[in-house]
Amino acid sequence: MACAKVPLDELHVTQPFGPQGKERTLPALHPDRKEERCFLTFKPPPEDGTPALVEEFLEHAQFISEDLEWLLALPHDKFWCQVVFDESLQRCLDSYLRHAPRSLDPSGISSSPAVADMQRNVHRSVFMVFLRMATHKESKENFITPAVFAEIIYNNYLFDIPKILDLCVLFGKGNSQLVHKMIENIFTQQPSYYGDLDETVPSIIQVFDSILQKCGIQSGDQPLKLNANRCLTAMTMPEEDLADLVLYMCDTCTTVHSFLDIFPEACSTFKQHNFLNRLSSFYETVVPDLEKAVKKRNFNKSLQENMWRQVSHSRKKMVEIAHLLLQHSCLQPILEGSENVASFVEDLLQNFTAFLQEKRFLADYDEQFPIVDDISLLQQAFPLLDDTRTSYLLQGVESAWEFVGKKRSFPSAISSANHSAGAKSKTGRDLEASQQEGPGVREELRGAEAMTDTPRMGDNGAVCTLSAGELESLLTHIRELLPDLGDGFILACLEEYGYSSELVINNILEDKLSPSLDKLDRAMARPVKKELPPVLSTRSNVFNDDEFDVFNRDRLDMSRIWKGRRQGESVRATLDDKQHIEEQRERYQAYQTVVDEIPITNEPSGDRDDAFGLDDYDDEYDDTYEINQIGANDLDEEDELLNRRPFTIPQVLRTVKKAQVEEDEGEEEDTNDAVKKDYFVQDPAVLRERAEARRAAMQSRKGYRPPPASHVVGGPRGRGQAQETVLDRRRKEANKSRGANHGRRTMADRKRNKGMIPS
């Protein structure tokens, strides 16, 4: 029996042994005290919801749940014997941590109520087992010495860093305090886990590097590989690989965030490995590529929505991880009043400065956790803070927002910082300082006063212009108080001070105008606007004064204007329309009237002459051409008169005999012309003969002797050959190796003689 108030590692028990039942004393933690029980490994719920698979999962999970309930019901010594010496139990617990569905898994939520209930039962039982394993003292009677407990959990691998990370992400959402106590007790009793965590952080950074490599992005501290150009990118990798990559990134970010949120003491270890800068660089590099790939590529709608949700969740968790690291490693020691406050302040400002080059990450971080609030806390806790440095940081935040193109849903960082610093004075000195800093900063420094200005900033950052009535109202308001000022000077002041009448009046009365306004004449009149000529009178194009010029015509022929295809119009109707013929009929009817005789009646001569066109005589025209003897002084030669073209009667007016005579004359002319041939296209044979003659003449001039004619063919066989034929054949045989490929035998003999070819 167990003794009271004795730790389990020092406890000994007496139990029967062997077939005869002899008693023996054993340590409380001994392998022989382990119960023989086989724990099944966990399998995830089915994704498709098939009845057979659902039934199999329910039966399998029921066995696991009953075994874990039996384990939890064991007494303290039996429980630890089973935990330490039963390997099947450790395999069961490890399989659940590995395969348990997460919140963002595609199959994380089951549609079957029975599956969901069974999953909750197994989930609760596994959590209670790990919670009891992490407790070294259950009561005053049941406990283990802390040093022995540390050795048991560390040497038997009951807990390690991957298991702790999975415990945080699986059970930390609704049990954060219990999980925190459990992990805190593990790290407190066994400090060696801090060393394991220190070795784990580089592995997590390596996970980020592997994601960069799979996306085809080269990290800054690694050399470029030879096959880097052949790597796939987020836009070209297969759909399944991209989905797995996004889920891998989401699971990693969620796990790290859960661990740091539950166990903040680990933030210092992460920060020692420059994890914050690596995280911001990874965010700036990978997030835009993955977002672009998820948006642009054609995925299944449900898969695309799921991937977009995972990418957005990863973005949020990475920003929250950065905030946790800064909060627990920099801000919290400053607010608690630690000894080296200046070093923590410097560390925080250096981290913010490092974020300035990561524009997208900085804008998203500032959206969730405004940096201006942290700067305000630093100003309160550390009065010696450099204002120039903080202003530079806040301007960098503004620049990041402008670079990303996002719209702020809260006041700008600079205006909030100045508001918290107390920059709300309206004295002339403050106004002069605001004028020297420029119009953009001046608007921010004025705070609530800027809300009363007539021109307001639009959504795109542009200044909304005033209407003519509003501008006249401002001029009238200022002239009533300062009637000696001219309208031109008042307009210049309004433009300088953002159309704020209060600022203009205040600066004029206190004589605090800017140097550019002091140089102006205070009685300057309002500049006269040059009226531009109307557009209609100055326009010029090819359609001026046509039948459709509505600017110059009051009436248009609306029958010639229609929209789309003309109603009632068809090809047959267009062809049958003979209106143009009727319009030309009256014109050509006048040519049908031929007057051969003019009747003379007793009518007045003027009317008769007008009717027949007899009053066209012009005396001046007649006198003009009587003086000039046209053609009288021309010297007409006999040949010129004879060579004129003979008169030819048109063929239509010819008679039969005249046409026959002219045909005979034409034949005679053809006979005469046959003598004179047209050599426009000459005979090719003649051209070749002429070319050969020219070539021979040129060769004779140069002294060239053509080769003698060859008589290789000779006569028929059996009759003997002439001496010339024999000589020509011998000459051909001797000289035929000069061309083509006739020297093969000679060259082969030459190579063989020189030993190149074996005989």
Side-chain angles (χ1 to χ4, degrees):
M1 295 296 295
C3 299
K5 296 183 180 181
V6 177
L8 182 61
D9 53 284
E10 299 178 1
L11 183 64
H12 290 75
V13 295
T14 302
Q15 63 179 15
F17 175 75
Q20 299 179 359
K22 295 182 179 180
E23 294 184 353
R24 64 173 181 174
T25 303
L26 296 174
L29 289 176
H30 194 274
D32 292 342
R33 302 195 64 206
K34 174 179 71 69
E35 298 289 340
E36 294 297 332
R37 199 177 187 97
C38 181
F39 290 85
L40 301 178
T41 57
F42 178 79
K43 295 181 180 180
E47 298 181 3
D48 52 358
T50 306
L53 296 178
V54 170
E55 183 179 358
E56 180 184 359
F57 169 77
L58 293 176
E59 183 179 3
H60 193 85
Q62 181 67 29
F63 289 147
I64 296 176
S65 179
E66 291 176 357
D67 290 341
L68 294 180
E69 292 294 339
W70 170 83
L71 178 66
L72 292 172
L74 292 177
H76 184 256
D77 55 341
K78 288 284 187 179
F79 173 82
W80 278 101
C81 287
Q82 204 73 27
V83 167
V84 173
F85 303 113
D86 193 348
E87 295 181 358
S88 64
L89 173 61
Q90 297 302 321
R91 287 195 297 268
C92 175
L93 298 177
D94 292 345
S95 64
Y96 185 82
L97 295 181
R98 186 181 301 110
H99 299 295
R102 270 66 171 172
S103 58
L104 290 177
D105 287 348
S107 60
I109 301 176
S110 177
S111 58
S112 175
V115 173
D117 292 341
M118 183 57 66
Q119 175 66 29
R120 282 193 294 268
N121 292 335
V122 176
H123 188 79
R124 177 184 177 279
S125 300
V126 172
F127 176 64
M128 296 303 296
V129 170
F130 276 108
L131 185 62
R132 189 174 182 183
M133 287 168 54
T135 305
H136 68 284
K137 185 177 182 181
E138 295 182 1
S139 62
K140 294 182 179 180
E141 293 80 12
N142 300 322
F143 64 95
I144 304 175
T145 305
V148 178
F149 171 77
E151 293 180 0
I152 290 175
I153 61 174
Y154 192 79
N155 296 333
N156 293 282
Y157 297 97
L158 301 183
F159 291 98
D160 52 25
I161 299 301
K163 286 184 181 180
I164 293 174
L165 294 176
D166 289 333
L167 288 173
C168 291
V169 74
L170 286 175
F171 307 107
K173 187 174 182 180
N175 309 283
S176 58
Q177 295 182 356
L178 288 176
V179 177
H180 173 71
K181 290 182 179 180
M182 179 174 64
I183 297 176
E184 185 181 20
N185 185 55
I186 292 173
F187 276 86
T188 302
Q189 303 301 331
Q190 181 55 274
S192 299
Y193 282 109
Y194 282 105
D196 295 347
L197 179 62
D198 188 69
E199 297 177 357
T200 305
V201 176
S203 301
I204 299 176
I205 296 176
Q206 189 176 0
V207 170
F208 292 155
D209 293 338
S210 65
I211 295 176
L212 287 172
Q213 184 179 359
K214 290 182 179 295
C215 292
I217 303 172
Q218 190 71 22
S219 58
D221 57 347
Q222 293 183 357
L224 184 64
K225 296 183 179 180
L226 295 178
N227 59 348
N229 296 329
R230 295 179 293 175
C231 295
L232 297 176
T233 62
M235 294 295 295
T236 59
M237 69 173 58
E239 179 179 334
E240 296 79 5
D241 295 346
L242 181 60
D244 293 341
L245 188 67
V246 172
L247 181 61
Y248 185 37
M249 181 184 68
C250 180
D251 182 67
T252 302
C253 297
T254 305
T255 302
V256 174
H257 172 265
S258 300
F259 176 66
L260 295 178
D261 188 25
I262 292 174
F263 189 61
E265 291 81 355
C267 292
S268 58
T269 304
F270 276 80
K271 201 168 182 309
Q272 290 175 1
H273 291 270
N274 200 20
F275 185 81
L276 193 57
N277 293 334
R278 296 296 298 270
L279 179 67
S280 61
S281 177
F282 173 80
Y283 184 98
E284 189 75 14
T285 308
V286 171
V287 168
D289 283 2
L290 292 181
E291 286 183 346
K292 180 181 178 181
V294 174
K295 287 182 180 178
K296 300 295 183 181
R297 296 183 62 176
N298 295 325
F299 294 112
N300 186 11
K301 186 177 181 181
S302 59
L303 177 62
Q304 188 175 20
E305 293 177 354
N306 186 41
M307 291 174 61
W308 181 256
R309 185 171 65 254
Q310 292 174 354
V311 172
S312 302
H313 184 77
S314 302
R315 289 179 54 189
K316 181 180 178 182
K317 293 305 176 183
M318 281 189 278
V319 171
E320 291 178 354
I321 289 172
H323 177 68
L324 286 173
L325 293 176
L326 294 177
Q327 177 74 23
H328 295 287
S329 60
C330 299
L331 281 174
Q332 189 170 352
I334 294 173
L335 299 178
E336 292 176 354
S338 302
E339 296 180 357
N340 299 325
V341 176
S343 62
F344 290 111
V345 171
E346 180 65 23
D347 189 13
L348 181 62
L349 294 179
Q350 286 182 359
N351 284 285
F352 283 153
T353 305
F355 290 163
L356 293 180
Q357 60 182 353
E358 317 294 350
K359 303 290 186 181
R360 184 184 295 270
F361 176 79
L362 181 60
D364 291 346
Y365 181 90
D366 187 65
E367 184 178 6
Q368 294 192 43
F369 309 101
I371 296 179
V372 65
D373 296 341
D374 297 337
I375 298 297
S376 178
L377 291 176
L378 291 181
Q379 290 174 345
Q380 297 175 14
F382 191 70
L384 301 178
L385 189 64
D386 188 3
D387 294 337
T388 304
R389 191 172 183 181
T390 56
S391 300
Y392 172 74
L393 289 175
L394 297 178
Q395 289 176 3
V397 174
E398 295 291 332
S399 175
W401 279 88
E402 294 176 0
F403 176 81
V404 177
K406 299 172 65 175
K407 183 179 178 182
R408 302 175 73 96
S409 58
F410 49 87
S412 63
I414 298 178
S415 61
S416 301
N418 292 328
H419 179 77
S420 62
K424 299 169 65 177
S425 176
K426 294 185 180 180
T427 60
R429 181 181 304 171
D430 294 337
L431 291 173
E432 181 179 2
S434 66
Q435 295 165 10
Q436 295 176 356
E437 291 178 359
V441 181
R442 180 173 64 249
E443 292 295 330
E444 300 290 349
L445 290 175
R446 283 164 50 202
E449 183 184 356
M451 300 299 292
T452 61
D453 294 345
T454 303
R456 296 175 296 275
M457 297 297 292
D459 295 339
N460 57 354
V463 179
C464 302
T465 57
L466 289 174
S467 62
E470 293 173 340
L471 185 60
E472 290 295 335
S473 176
L474 292 175
L475 290 174
T476 304
H477 176 61
I478 297 175
R479 277 199 305 264
E480 290 177 355
L481 297 178
L482 304 170
D484 56 331
L485 299 179
D487 291 348
F489 181 75
I490 298 175
L491 280 176
C493 294
L494 288 174
E495 292 177 0
E496 179 70 18
Y497 295 109
Y499 292 92
S500 174
S501 57
E502 291 81 3
L503 277 177
V504 172
I505 295 172
N506 185 31
N507 290 334
I508 292 175
L509 293 178
E510 294 185 1
D511 197 13
K512 297 294 184 180
L513 293 175
S514 61
S516 60
L517 295 177
D518 283 336
K519 299 177 182 179
L520 298 178
D521 184 10
R522 300 205 172 193
M524 181 175 60
R526 189 172 185 175
V528 180
K529 293 184 179 180
K530 295 182 180 180
E531 295 184 359
L532 299 176
V535 179
L536 296 180
S537 61
T538 57
R539 76 187 187 101
S540 177
N541 55 51
V542 295
F543 303 107
N544 284 350
D545 300 327
D546 63 357
E547 58 178 331
F548 301 109
D549 190 359
V550 296
F551 299 106
N552 296 328
R553 291 179 179 268
D554 296 334
R555 295 182 181 179
L556 298 177
D557 186 6
M558 301 303 296
S559 63
R560 300 197 57 191
I561 301 175
W562 62 85
K563 182 179 180 181
R565 186 173 181 179
R566 191 173 184 178
Q567 298 295 331
E569 183 180 4
S570 63
V571 178
R572 177 61 60 185
T574 303
L575 295 176
D576 294 341
D577 186 9
K578 307 299 182 181
Q579 182 180 359
H580 62 286
I581 299 178
E582 297 296 335
E583 294 176 354
Q584 299 294 333
R585 187 182 301 278
E586 297 180 358
R587 177 179 178 183
Y588 287 97
Q589 282 179 354
Y591 295 98
Q592 296 179 0
T593 305
V594 180
V595 180
D596 296 334
E597 297 180 357
I598 301 175
I600 299 176
T601 60
N602 295 329
E603 297 178 359
S605 61
D607 297 338
R608 186 176 67 252
D609 295 342
D610 292 341
F612 295 99
L614 299 178
D615 58 347
D616 293 339
Y617 175 73
D618 189 357
D619 184 63
E620 294 181 358
Y621 177 84
D622 190 20
D623 295 341
T624 301
Y625 288 96
E626 284 180 356
I627 300 173
N628 299 327
Q629 298 180 2
I630 301 175
N633 298 327
D634 294 341
L635 297 178
D636 296 334
E637 297 180 358
E638 182 179 358
D639 297 338
E640 181 182 357
L641 296 176
L642 295 177
N643 292 333
R644 289 182 180 177
R645 182 179 179 183
F647 176 75
T648 304
I649 301 175
Q651 188 176 1
V652 180
L653 302 178
R654 295 179 187 176
T655 60
V656 178
K657 296 181 179 180
K658 292 181 179 180
Q660 186 67 29
V661 172
E662 290 186 358
E663 288 180 0
D664 296 340
E665 294 177 355
E667 292 178 357
E668 293 178 358
E669 292 178 357
D670 294 341
T671 304
N672 296 330
D673 294 340
V675 180
K676 301 179 181 180
K677 292 185 177 181
D678 187 6
Y679 291 102
F680 180 74
V681 180
Q682 298 183 9
D683 187 6
V686 176
L687 295 177
R688 285 195 294 271
E689 292 177 359
R690 293 178 182 176
E692 185 65 26
R694 288 195 300 269
R695 190 180 306 108
M698 182 178 63
Q699 290 177 354
S700 63
R701 286 196 302 270
K702 294 183 178 180
Y704 173 75
R705 296 180 60 186
S710 177
H711 302 280
V712 180
V713 178
R717 293 183 179 181
R719 299 182 182 179
Q721 302 295 337
Q723 186 66 21
E724 295 179 353
T725 303
V726 175
L727 294 177
D728 289 343
R729 288 179 179 179
R730 187 181 303 168
R731 188 182 302 110
K732 178 182 177 182
E733 181 69 21
N735 298 326
K736 69 179 182 180
S737 62
R738 291 185 302 171
N741 197 16
H742 299 290
R744 290 176 294 179
R745 180 178 298 174
T746 304
M747 295 305 296
D749 294 340
R750 183 179 178 185
K751 290 181 180 179
R752 188 178 293 107
N753 294 334
K754 291 186 177 182
M756 297 182 185
I757 302 175
S759 300

